[in-house]
Amino acid sequence: IARRSGVQRKSPVTTRMLRWIFRKMGLETKDHKLLKGAMSLAWFFLLRLAEYAAHDGQPFDMNKVVRGADITFRKNGEIVANGADADEVGIRIRSSKADIFNAGEWRNHFRSDDPELCVVEALTMIQREFPQRFGTGIESDLPLFRMEDGSPMRRGQIAAWLEMAADAEGYSKERFGSHSLRIGGATALYHIGMPVEVIKRYGRWASDSFQQYLWEGSEDSKGLALRMARDQSSLMVTRSR
């Protein structure tokens, strides 16, 4: 991803960084599984921090945070109880800056067939550990991403892993924070050719200012100079006599 010198905005989390984090975690504890699920959800669904975790020293924003009741697993379009049986997961986002009607919004993703970077599999892993937090479970109306002891997942816990991954990849860790997951998901959509207007709607941005978050990849310029050099367009101007 191309770096923008002189601009002190947060940088996007890449798939290489996510893989580094998940491998480094080892996923041996329930808390690490929760952290993987939260990061996967935030990256794939372009979530804001308040929609899955809590700011340091503050409680969850109960009007925005994702609950187990907001997660729906489906197979062939039909709702299923177990994520292990699902080929799709959807989340209901109950509140958003761009939701002018305050009706909530629905987003979905299908299995990626990449077990390391698959949001369906990441949520299925959490369901195995905390079945009471999903469906009609007794904790389904509570925030999904509570640590094993019931405490809120916090911004600092997310940021710490992102900073370690940035350092491992040779980036300045000061440029990465929890918002980098939302930026990273948007940038990935941009790189695979998703129309900008679709990215805007998917990320629930109210204005075009979100385009400052879309970073170009160096690969985007491959062959560009050759195509420019071969351009033989003529100008549609009146020639002087």
Side-chain angles (χ1 to χ4, degrees):
I1 292 176
R3 301 188 185 193
R4 302 179 179 185
S5 60
V7 180
Q8 295 304 313
R9 61 172 63 98
K10 292 300 183 182
S11 301
V13 170
T14 66
T15 55
R16 284 176 57 91
M17 292 174 65
L18 288 175
R19 292 183 193 279
W20 185 93
I21 291 170
F22 299 155
R23 292 170 186 173
K24 189 72 172 178
M25 279 183 177
L27 304 178
E28 296 177 356
T29 70
K30 291 184 178 182
D31 283 349
H32 282 168
K33 292 175 182 179
L34 285 163
L35 283 163
K36 176 179 180 176
M39 291 185 197
S40 298
L41 202 75
W43 194 87
F44 279 100
F45 285 100
L46 282 57
L47 298 185
R48 297 178 176 90
L49 177 69
E51 293 167 342
Y52 64 96
H55 287 278
D56 295 340
Q58 299 180 21
F60 284 115
D61 184 335
M62 294 304 297
N63 293 320
K64 296 179 180 179
V65 68
V66 170
R67 309 163 303 172
D70 299 316
I71 304 293
T72 303
F73 292 109
R74 294 178 183 270
K75 182 176 182 179
N76 299 325
E78 300 293 329
I79 294 176
V80 294
N82 296 318
D85 300 324
D87 59 13
E88 174 190 0
V89 68
I91 67 170
R92 178 174 177 247
I93 301 169
R94 291 177 292 142
S95 179
S96 170
K97 292 181 180 179
D99 183 10
I100 61 175
F101 299 109
N102 198 32
E105 299 190 46
W106 173 263
R107 295 290 184 269
N108 71 308
H109 268 301
F110 287 84
R111 281 191 179 273
S112 68
D113 292 327
D114 181 337
E116 197 166 47
L117 294 180
C118 177
V119 67
V120 180
E121 186 57 38
L123 289 170
T124 297
M125 178 176 60
I126 295 175
Q127 187 187 41
R128 292 192 189 102
E129 299 290 349
F130 302 96
Q132 71 277 14
R133 298 187 183 185
F134 289 80
T136 58
I138 60 174
E139 298 180 11
S140 62
D141 285 330
L142 298 176
L144 177 59
F145 296 109
R146 290 171 290 119
M147 309 311 288
E148 184 179 7
D149 64 4
S151 63
M153 181 178 294
R154 299 201 177 279
R155 186 207 64 80
Q157 293 171 298
I158 300 290
W161 279 103
L162 298 181
E163 289 173 4
M164 285 191 289
D167 190 55
E169 289 293 309
Y171 301 129
S172 173
K173 63 183 181 181
E174 291 77 16
R175 298 292 301 276
F176 290 84
S178 58
H179 202 60
S180 296
L181 289 164
R182 177 168 163 81
I183 300 170
T187 298
L189 289 175
Y190 180 58
H191 286 174
I192 64 175
M194 186 70 71
V196 171
E197 282 301 313
V198 175
I199 299 173
K200 178 180 178 181
R201 292 196 300 273
Y202 198 86
R204 297 156 289 115
W205 276 284
S207 72
D208 290 336
S209 63
F210 81 99
Q211 292 199 45
Q212 68 179 308
Y213 298 132
L214 303 181
W215 287 56
E216 291 78 20
S218 58
E219 297 84 357
D220 296 340
S221 296
K222 189 173 184 179
L224 184 60
L226 177 61
R227 295 199 300 274
M228 292 173 68
R230 288 178 174 175
D231 179 54
Q232 298 184 40
S233 302
S234 57
L235 300 179
M236 294 184 64
V237 297
T238 302
R239 297 179 181 274
S240 60
R241 296 182 179 180

